[in-house]
Amino acid sequence: MTVTLQDIAMIAGLPVEGNPLCMNTDSDGWREQMHALIGMVPPKPREPEAEDKKKERVATGAPFTWIAWNFGTFPEEVNEDELDDACCRPSGGIGGCMLALSIWSWERLPVGRPKTVKYEDWDDKDDPLRLPTWAYKWDVLNETTDDSSVMYKLYKSELDTITAEPVEWEPYGRGDSFGNPLEFRLNPMCTRDRDLWHMRCPLICKWAVELHLPHRVYRQFGLFQPHPPEWEDKDKLLHALDRRRQRKVKD
């Protein structure tokens, strides 16, 4: 199981196709931040000659070749817990859209699912684009008052032993009833790009690149799940694409 474009569209109402949502990409001071985090930075690129400045573009940031050369192999002193610590409670935290992740989990898994309270009718001001998304189902919850450390151990144990039977594979409905709960009307943005939910593509957010592979979780779409193909490493091929040498690359 995994979070797919379908889940983000239904819960957050974000479009799949169109202009991206961007933040400030100012990179001033990135070398100092990088050195503070990992203790080393790539060498500064060579400044082009005055007559070549208009012709040659100088790359900024950490080149993939430098990253692969310095971090392509594990240090000898590394142990098996190097990545496992990231999922442990004292590790520091987790980032991303926690609203989407929480509702995705509550809709599909019986572990840690809170009880919902009946919500008020939604006033869309006669604008369908102001209708609620699927997240409105969880607008008001009964918060638990149990000890968090005890519940953490309980949830962890339940997740380790969960089977496929109690999982809700298609929480958004099936067939004609898809995305149309009786409780409220759904924002049309949630289903606008449903034809793209099965798209296999890289999802890029700043420095993070993750492949969207819905064919590995077809059961979440109500489809038959065949045996997935063998995994293929495409990192080097993907990071080799840039518009400095391949200027015809526009996507």
Side-chain angles (χ1 to χ4, degrees):
M1 297 183 67
T2 189
V3 180
T4 66
L5 290 174
Q6 179 196 62
D7 297 299
I8 297 301
M10 294 296 290
I11 296 172
L14 294 177
V16 177
E17 187 177 30
N19 295 326
L21 296 176
C22 298
M23 60 180 68
N24 184 8
T25 58
D26 186 6
S27 60
D28 290 342
W30 69 268
R31 288 181 174 273
E32 291 77 9
Q33 297 179 29
M34 189 174 185
H35 189 274
L37 290 171
I38 64 175
M40 59 188 307
V41 294
K44 292 185 178 181
R46 178 187 61 83
E47 286 292 335
E49 300 295 334
E51 60 272 13
D52 295 333
K53 282 190 175 181
K54 293 183 178 180
K55 299 180 181 179
E56 183 179 354
R57 294 185 297 172
V58 179
T60 60
F64 180 72
T65 53
W66 179 86
I67 296 175
W69 176 263
N70 290 277
F71 302 100
T73 57
F74 289 115
E76 294 182 358
E77 66 274 10
V78 74
N79 56 45
E80 294 181 355
D81 296 330
E82 182 192 57
L83 296 180
D84 292 344
D85 288 344
C87 67
C88 297
R89 189 170 187 176
S91 61
I94 185 173
C97 184
M98 298 309 299
L99 172 66
L101 185 60
S102 297
I103 295 177
W104 177 89
S105 176
W106 295 340
E107 285 285 351
R108 297 179 181 274
L109 304 176
V111 179
R113 179 183 292 161
K115 294 182 179 180
T116 59
V117 180
K118 183 173 177 59
Y119 35 79
E120 300 294 332
D121 292 335
W122 185 278
D123 185 7
D124 61 4
K125 308 296 183 182
D126 295 325
D127 183 359
L129 293 180
R130 298 185 65 176
L131 287 168
T133 69
W134 198 267
Y136 190 53
K137 289 182 60 180
W138 304 89
D139 182 47
V140 183
L141 308 173
N142 275 331
E143 297 184 5
T144 179
T145 56
D146 298 322
D147 185 83
S148 58
S149 61
V150 175
M151 299 309 297
Y152 172 78
K153 295 179 180 179
L154 176 62
Y155 295 159
K156 184 178 178 181
S157 177
E158 290 180 353
L159 285 172
D160 288 340
T161 58
I162 196 172
T163 60
E165 284 71 22
V167 172
E168 180 59 58
W169 294 97
E170 299 176 74
Y172 311 119
R174 302 175 179 86
D176 295 337
S177 64
F178 180 86
N180 187 26
L182 299 177
E183 293 87 353
F184 61 88
R185 292 170 57 210
L186 193 65
N187 192 305
M189 287 298 297
C190 295
T191 56
R192 190 197 73 169
D193 297 327
R194 61 186 305 174
D195 292 339
L196 302 176
W197 289 346
H198 295 171
M199 178 173 57
R200 305 183 195 180
C201 62
L203 304 178
I204 304 173
C205 179
K206 297 173 72 175
W207 60 83
V209 179
E210 294 288 343
L211 293 177
H212 185 246
L213 305 174
H215 64 292
R216 292 181 175 267
V217 288
Y218 269 161
R219 190 171 180 180
Q220 292 181 205
F221 299 94
L223 302 174
F224 172 73
Q225 180 65 68
H227 189 281
E230 293 295 328
W231 178 80
E232 182 180 355
D233 186 0
K234 295 186 178 179
D235 278 355
K236 293 184 179 179
L237 177 63
L238 179 63
H239 285 279
L241 295 177
D242 62 67
R243 295 194 62 192
R244 182 180 180 185
R245 297 179 181 176
Q246 301 94 4
R247 299 193 177 185
K248 294 183 180 180
V249 176
K250 296 182 179 179
D251 190 349

